[in-house]
Amino acid sequence: TRLGIAGGDTSSHATLALGLWGLGFHSTLAPGVTVSVAHSDDPLTNGLQLMLKGGQMGGDTLFDDLVTGR
């Protein structure tokens, strides 16, 4: 139900590959890092919680925090 993608360009390509038509704000995971809710016509990806992370954003526990829902 959650997916984390690191890399600005990679994140852009991934959202296109997932066939998403929109993203809505869910929460802030760390300064400069948000979790979005994916909107898609595909029931497998619609509602997916998606963290798109670029650059040096987030700390050492960022992916652990995403998995545990902190």
Side-chain angles (χ1 to χ4, degrees), residues 1-5 18 26-27 29 34-38 44-52 62-70:
T1 60
R2 289 188 195 110
L3 175 64
I5 302 171
L18 289 168
H26 178 275
S27 59
L29 189 58
T34 60
V35 177
S36 300
V37 176
L44 293 175
T45 54
N46 190 50
L48 177 71
Q49 292 180 10
L50 186 62
M51 179 199 71
L52 305 174
L62 183 69
F63 286 95
D64 291 330
D65 294 344
L66 176 67
V67 170
T68 60
R70 285 187 217 153

Side-chain angles (χ1 to χ4, degrees), residues 2-29:
R2 289 188 195 110
L3 175 64
I5 302 171
D9 290 342
T10 303
S11 295
S12 298
H13 293 294
T15 56
L16 290 173
L18 289 168
L20 307 180
W21 54 260
L23 295 172
F25 177 78
H26 178 275
S27 59
T28 299
L29 189 58

